[in-house]
Every structure is written in structure tokens, then in C-alpha cells.
């Protein structure tokens, strides 16, 4: 059964507080956000009283309420109010320790108080321009109207302050209890208003372990092409949150099944066309999802975006390199080289940071190298080069390579793990002797320039790289050996006379 079907339902204990909607009475179905809200008293209560004293209404809203019900409320709280931005700033004056209005054009004022970050946004009743998909900001008059315009019913709940009335006009609490993502209005209209919500649905599936309502899935499939109207930066932010969620496989599967991945990561659904050479999985796509899950199981310091991306994309070069050999054996020669180039191109288009692009591409490039080790042909030089090429990515490379074993043959799987154990032992042994993490030529740049009589420039760099290759091949040299090697190279290159 796919991992996506194993979802933990929120553990909703007894409810606390009143409700403004008898049709969606919390009752014993859930622990309302009020309980979690108490953890932030007196900040939230104080803020509610200030707004009430000024004649305005204030509500804890959206993801803050959802996360409170799920027992995962963060210290960043979102509020909505009938007060206009200028009025909000006036109410906060003299009480907030810091106020910022970078979001004021959208009606949002940020503030900090006692280490808690808060955002207060005026009731919204946005429309969208239908071209750029940017909201045309319009302020609303009621919290119900504000909630109906939100993306999903699970994010369309509120708690009024300071009286703590629970507001749930769209049935968000019931949806939360069922673990279902649905939209407050028709999903086609909601997604057409803001196509980024298509990707947010997949992101919430990953983060919360929910499923999407059938009508939402249908709308996602129909409107998936609309995602190409969203900027790469916004798409990348949602994709990263999805990959860092607790159930990224479920999020990726939803993207692929609805066509969102064809817009965002087309290389991933393309892998469904290729049967892997071991015939142990339905296709390379299924294999890659399993590798990603196994890599996640090996994380030790929390979610690792670099590792998860590398695991998901490590075989994307296979469709382009697939060949049918004699005997109907399928090969994917040099798919790691092609895959690394494809990875770099895709991540650049998604506007990922350069360092992350470099790291993920290098992991994809190196992930297959270990498979030559089991033949017993690796010299100490090959081990040194493996470590040096991985550099600071070595621990991630260990996790990726170990995760890339998805065979159901237990004996073969155990043999692969033992072989990698042996490689790690050799790395540890040579590292202890030679400090592989800091492999450098036996002569530095100053010594090279002095011995060759050259100024700083390309020749020094070429000489340095040659000496490093020698060091990797032969291990440490003493000073005389290093100088003799440099002079021999320089004579062969015509840099010094023979």
C-alpha cells in the first residue's frame, strides 16, 4: 500500500470555548485553538483587549488556529481585524516592542511583543486580476467574509479575542478531524483566483498527512497548467516546504497524479516511463520515491532539503540514457552525468540558491560511483578521490548511496550494505592516516612560484591541480619528492627548460 494512505489523524481532545456557528459545534470533537492560545497569554489576550477597548474586533485566524488544533502552534501568530491598517498601527503604538508595515499594501501590520511575532491583517475580500493573478486588495467587513476567501477550510477557522469565541463557518474543524483538504468555495474558482493554491494543496498533504477532497483533486487536474503563471520564486518556496514536510512522497504523488509536476518538475513524472534495470520496481519513478523515503529515514539532524532533492532526482537522467542491450537487458549508461546536468538546469529555473544547486547536482553526479567498488578494484587513490570529490557532502553521499538500494532480495541488500560498510571503514582508516578532509598538494602556491620562478597566474593553478592529483594518486610526498614531481611536470609542459 502506498505511503500516502498511512495518515495520522489529528488527536482532537475535548473542546474549550464557545462557537458562533451551531452547525459546526466543536463539542467533544476537538481541542479548540483556545487551549493552545493560553500558552501565549498575556500577549494574545492583551492584544485582544486593546482592540476591544478601541471598539474593534480581533481574531486569531487561519494556520495559527489549525496548528493549535493539531498541537503544533508556533510562536508566530496571525490575526485578522475589522480595523483598517492606520487604525491598527495606532492601537499598537506604545504597546508593541517593534512594528513593521512592509505588508501594509495588503492590509498587514507586523509586530513583536515578549519574543512573540504577530501579524494583524484587516478583513479581506480580495478579487484577482485574472492576468498576473495578483490580488486586487479590497477590505471586508466581517470575519466570515474573510474566512470564505481563504484557500482551504482547515485554514478558515478563527477564535475571537478576548472572549474566545470559536468561528467556523466553512466546517474546517470537521475537515481537520477527517484529515481532508477542501476549499471554502468551489475549488475551480478558488484555484483560478490564485493558482499557487494548487501547489499549496500538495504542500499541505505533505506537511499534514491529509488527503484532498475528490472535487479538489478534479479541479487540480483541470487547472494544473495555470501554475505556469506563478513566478518561479513562489513555486520554489512551496515545493521546498512540500519536500521538507512529514509526508513528501504523498505530496509528490499528488503533484504527479494531477499534472502539477508536469509544470514544476517534469523530469519526475517522466521517470514513470522507464522500467529500472533490476526489474524490482514498477518503474524508476517508484524507485526514486522509495529512495527518497529511505534517505529521510537516515536523516539525523532534521529535514535535509539537499538530501531529499538529491534522492528524488538522482535517476532523472535515466529516460534520456535508456538503451536496450542484447538479450533485452536495459541499460542507463552515464545517467548520473546526464542527470546532474538536468538537475542543475531544473533547480536554476526554480531559482534555488547556487550552493544548493551545486550540492544537489554533485550528489546526483556521484551517487553511482560506489557501484564500482564491490568488484574489489578500488585502490587507495580511488578512495581518496571519492572523499575529495564529495568534500563536505560526504555524509550526505553516504546516506544517498545506502538509500539507493531498494532491492527486495534481502541477501543482495545485505551484501550491498556490507560492501559500503567496508568502503566507510577504508575511508576512516585512510582519513586517520592522511586527514583526507584537508587533502592539499604537498607544495603550496608560494612554494610553486618560488621553485618555478613564475608570478601569480594560471600556471600556478595548473601546477597546484597537478600536485593535488599526484597526492590523491600516491598519497603524501616528502618535500624533495614533491619538488621533483613539480619540476618534471613543468619541463613536460615547457614551463621550465629541460
Amino acid at each position: 500500500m502506498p505511503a500516502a494512505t498511512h495518515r495520522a489523524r489529528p488527536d482532537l481532545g475535548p473542546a474549550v470555548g464557545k462557537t458562533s456557528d451551531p452547525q459546526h459545534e466543536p463539542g467533544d470533537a476537538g481541542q479548540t485553538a483556545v487551549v493552545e492560545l493560553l500558552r501565549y497569554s498575556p500577549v494574545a489576550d492583551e492584544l485582544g483587549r486593546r482592540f476591544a477597548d478601541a471598539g474593534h474586533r480581533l481574531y486569531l485566524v487561519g494556520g495559527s488556529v489549525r496548528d493549535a488544533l493539531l498541537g503544533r502552534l508556533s510562536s508566530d501568530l496571525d490575526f485578522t481585524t475589522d480595523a483598517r491598517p492606520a487604525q491598527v498601527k495606532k492601537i499598537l503604538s506604545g504597546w508593541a516592542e517593534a512594528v513593521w508595515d512592509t505588508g501594509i499594501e495588503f492590509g498587514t501590520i507586523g509586530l513583536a511583543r515578549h519574543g512573540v511575532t504577530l501579524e494583524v491583517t484587516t478583513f479581506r475580500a480580495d478579487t484577482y486580476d485574472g492576468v498576473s493573478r495578483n490580488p486586487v486588495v479590497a477590505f471586508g467587513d466581517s470575519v466570515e467574509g474573510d474566512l470564505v476567501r481563504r484557500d482551504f477550510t482547515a485554514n478558515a477557522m478563527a477564535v475571537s479575542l478576548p472572549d474566545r469565541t470559536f468561528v467556523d463557518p466553512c466546517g474546517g474543524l470537521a475537515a481537520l478531524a477527517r484529515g481532508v483538504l477542501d476549499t471554502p468555495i468551489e475549488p475551480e474558482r478558488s484555484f483560478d483566483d490564485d493558482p499557487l493554491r494548487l501547489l499549496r494543496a500538495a504542500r499541505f498533504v505533505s506537511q499534514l498527512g491529509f488527503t484532498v477532497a475528490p472535487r479538489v483533486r478534479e479541479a487540480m487536474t483541470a487547472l494544473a497548467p495555470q501554475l505556469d503563471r506563478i513566478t518561479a520564486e513562489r513555486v520554489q518556496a512551496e515545493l521546498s516546504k512540500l519536500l521538507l514536510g512529514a509526508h513528501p512522497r504523498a505530496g509528490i504523488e499528488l503533484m504527479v497524479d494531477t499534472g502539477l509536476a508536469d509544470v514544476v518538475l517534469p523530469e519526475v513524472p517522466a521517470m514513470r516511463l522507464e522500467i529500472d534495470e533490476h526489474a524490482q520496481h514498477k518503474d524508476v519513478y517508484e524507485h526514486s520515491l522509495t529512495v527518497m523515503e529511505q534517505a529521510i529515514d537516515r536523516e539525523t539532524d532534521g529535514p535535509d532539503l539537499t538530501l531529499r532533492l538529491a534522492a528524488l532526482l538522482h535517476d532523472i537522467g535515466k529516460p534520456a540514457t535508456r538503451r536496450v542491450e542484447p538479450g533485452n537487458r536495459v541499460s542507463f549508461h552515464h545517467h548520473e552525468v546526464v542527470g546532474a546536468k538536468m538537475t542543475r538546469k531544473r533547480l536554476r529555473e526554480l531559482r534555488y540558491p547556487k550552493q544548493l544547486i551545486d550540492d544537489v547536482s554533485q550528489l546526483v553526479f556521484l551517487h553511482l560511483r560506489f557501484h564500482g567498488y564491490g568488484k574489489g578494484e578500488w585502490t587507495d587513490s580511488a578512495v581518496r578521490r571519492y572523499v575529495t570529490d564529495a568534500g563536505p557532502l560526504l555524509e550526505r553521499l553516504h546516506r544517498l548511496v545506502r538509500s539507493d538500494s531498494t532491492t527486495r532480495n534481502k541477501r543482495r541488500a545485505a551484501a550491498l550494505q556490507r560492501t559500503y560498510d567496508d568502503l566507510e571503514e577504508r575511508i576512516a582508516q585512510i582519513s586517520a592516516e592522511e586527514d583526507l578532509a584537508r587533502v592539499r598538494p604537498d607544495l603550496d602556491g608560494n612554494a610553486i612560484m618560488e621553485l618555478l620562478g613564475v608570478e601569480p597566474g594560471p600556471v600556478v593553478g595548473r601546477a597546484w591541480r597537478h600536485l593535488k592529483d599526484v597526492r590523491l594518486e600516491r598519497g603524501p610526498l616528502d618535500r624533495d619528492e614533491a619538488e621533483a614531481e613539480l619540476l618534471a611536470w613543468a619541463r613536460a609542459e615547457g614551463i621550465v627548460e629541460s
Side-chain angles (χ1 to χ4, degrees), residues 146-440:
D146 180 275
L147 295 176
V148 166
R149 58 161 286 279
R150 293 177 180 263
D151 53 4
F152 301 104
T153 58
N155 297 329
M157 298 177 284
V159 176
S160 68
L161 296 171
D163 64 306
R164 300 175 182 170
T165 297
F166 186 78
V167 183
D168 183 19
C170 303
L173 186 63
L176 203 65
R178 296 195 310 272
V180 174
L181 278 179
D182 204 349
T183 52
I185 59 176
E186 298 85 353
E188 292 82 3
R189 179 178 156 200
S190 179
F191 295 148
D192 189 61
D193 280 347
D194 183 3
L196 189 63
R197 291 173 174 174
L198 294 160
L199 197 52
R200 283 170 62 84
R203 189 249 287 187
F204 283 126
V205 164
S206 171
Q207 288 183 326
L208 304 176
F210 284 12
T211 58
V212 294
R215 68 172 191 157
V216 170
R217 180 182 288 268
E218 291 174 7
M220 292 174 69
T221 304
L223 297 176
Q226 297 281 3
L227 255 186
D228 64 10
R229 307 183 74 165
I230 302 298
T231 64
E233 290 81 2
R234 294 179 74 201
V235 168
Q236 178 241 100
E238 290 295 327
L239 178 62
S240 296
K241 292 175 183 177
L242 183 159
L243 288 169
L244 292 172
H247 310 274
R249 177 173 184 146
I252 294 295
E253 287 176 334
L254 180 61
M255 287 180 60
V256 170
D257 292 345
T258 57
L260 297 183
D262 292 328
V263 181
V264 178
L265 279 176
E267 299 81 1
V268 172
M271 290 190 288
R272 290 181 299 178
L273 304 177
E274 306 302 324
I275 305 301
D276 91 331
E277 66 268 43
H278 305 299
Q280 295 296 317
H281 303 275
K282 185 173 71 174
D283 51 25
V284 178
Y285 165 69
E286 292 286 341
H287 164 77
S288 298
L289 293 178
T290 300
V291 172
M292 181 178 68
E293 288 186 310
Q294 293 184 165
I296 290 170
D297 289 341
R298 289 182 165 87
E299 292 175 340
T300 57
D301 299 317
D304 184 339
L305 182 61
T306 298
L307 179 62
R308 294 185 183 198
L309 276 167
L312 177 65
L313 303 177
H314 76 285
D315 275 348
I316 62 171
K318 281 188 171 181
T321 58
R322 184 177 186 268
R323 299 291 182 273
V324 179
E325 308 289 353
N328 289 324
R329 180 181 177 274
V330 178
S331 70
F332 303 96
H333 295 308
H334 306 301
H335 76 268
E336 75 283 9
V337 178
V338 174
K341 293 178 180 178
M342 293 171 65
T343 295
R344 184 174 296 278
K345 181 176 184 293
R346 176 55 54 197
L347 297 185
R348 279 176 175 167
E349 290 182 359
L350 287 169
R351 304 292 192 271
Y352 274 103
K354 181 180 183 301
Q355 187 62 59
L356 183 140
I357 294 173
D358 291 344
D359 290 349
V360 175
S361 301
Q362 183 70 347
L363 287 170
V364 172
F365 176 71
L366 293 174
H367 85 273
L368 201 61
R369 186 177 295 183
F370 156 74
H371 292 283
Y373 180 80
K375 299 176 182 178
E377 299 171 354
W378 277 31
T379 62
D380 285 354
S381 170
V383 175
R384 292 188 195 99
R385 193 168 296 280
Y386 187 76
V387 174
T388 302
D389 288 350
L393 298 171
L394 184 60
E395 285 303 317
R396 285 189 175 111
L397 183 58
H398 289 335
R399 295 185 182 116
L400 176 60
V401 173
R402 287 186 181 275
S403 301
D404 196 22
S405 172
T406 59
T407 176
R408 297 175 185 174
N409 184 320
K410 293 182 179 180
R411 183 174 299 177
R412 185 170 184 271
L416 286 170
Q417 296 302 328
R418 285 195 303 271
T419 302
Y420 206 84
D421 289 343
D422 182 71
L423 174 57
E424 288 203 59
E425 288 172 6
R426 286 187 65 188
I427 290 172
Q429 180 182 357
I430 297 173
S431 294
E433 295 171 356
E434 302 178 18
D435 194 8
L436 288 183
R438 295 179 175 81
V439 168
R440 295 290 186 274

Side-chain angles (χ1 to χ4, degrees), residues 4-65:
T5 63
H6 296 285
R7 310 276 170 74
R9 296 277 78 82
D11 182 13
L12 303 178
V16 177
K18 301 173 288 182
T19 175
S20 67
D21 187 349
Q23 293 184 346
H24 300 106
E25 179 72 45
D28 292 332
Q31 173 188 14
T32 70
V34 176
V35 173
E36 290 297 322
L37 182 60
L38 292 174
R39 289 198 290 148
Y40 293 96
S41 291
V43 173
D45 281 341
E46 286 180 11
L47 187 62
R49 283 193 291 271
R50 289 186 70 87
F51 274 80
D53 290 344
H56 292 287
R57 291 166 285 163
L58 183 75
Y59 299 83
L60 182 71
V61 72
S64 295
V65 178

